[in-house]
Amino acid sequence: MTINTALNKVAASVPECLAAGYVDTASGMLLAIKTVDSHPREVIDLVAAATADLFNGPNVSLIERMFKKSRGLQDNDDHHYFQEIIVNSDNLIHVFLRGKTQPDYVAVFVCRRTANLGMALTKARIAMPELEAAL
């Protein structure tokens, strides 16, 4: 199954999902997108870049290094402390999930604000192995 096919399938399972994407945070590239509306390419590219910043930006990286140092861990491993980020905007819920087997990849699900957050998060979590297997 291709990443686009997998993304289309899992987006349909997340409640009130309006858009879904899969981002390579190391490069900031959007690998796949599924959306119910058309959006300018510039907006879509910014979503990918913003996702990379959320998970790998300089301040986030600094926090992760500080956590490792305070726990006596080496900074040279690939472990990341931030695994999931939820952003609530005026009308939408944005769910960002880092891959478990491929931590440089993040799935993004954008749902209506009326969606049940717990159910959207649960369905998005359930979808991750299928997305990771599609790469």
Side-chain angles (χ1 to χ4, degrees), residues 30-133:
L30 183 66
L31 302 175
I33 188 166
K34 192 265 187 247
T35 180
V36 297
D37 292 325
S38 62
H39 302 285
R41 187 72 214 175
E42 301 83 33
V43 170
I44 291 170
D45 290 341
L46 281 175
V47 169
T51 300
D53 286 345
L54 276 173
F55 283 88
N56 293 349
N59 289 324
V60 170
S61 297
L62 178 61
I63 290 169
E64 288 184 330
R65 284 194 303 275
M66 291 173 73
F67 281 166
K68 288 177 185 179
K69 183 177 180 182
S70 70
R71 290 172 173 83
L73 302 173
Q74 294 294 320
D75 189 29
N76 57 2
D77 69 358
D78 290 332
H79 178 73
H80 296 279
Y81 286 95
F82 296 101
Q83 300 295 316
E84 300 176 351
I85 297 173
I86 298 168
V87 176
N88 292 308
S89 63
D90 288 342
N91 300 308
L92 302 168
I93 299 169
H94 309 259
V95 176
F96 301 84
L97 303 173
R98 184 187 293 277
K100 299 290 184 209
T101 62
Q102 300 179 43
D104 282 338
Y105 297 101
V106 172
V108 181
F109 299 93
V110 181
C111 305
R112 287 185 183 92
R113 182 73 184 238
T114 55
N116 179 305
L117 175 59
M119 187 58 72
L121 184 56
T122 298
K123 292 291 190 169
R125 286 175 175 164
I126 290 170
M128 286 304 292
E130 189 168 351
L131 288 175
E132 288 188 281

Side-chain angles (χ1 to χ4, degrees), residues 3-17:
I3 187 63
N4 285 315
T5 304
L7 192 63
N8 285 333
K9 180 182 173 190
V10 300
S13 71
V14 176
E16 300 189 56
C17 186

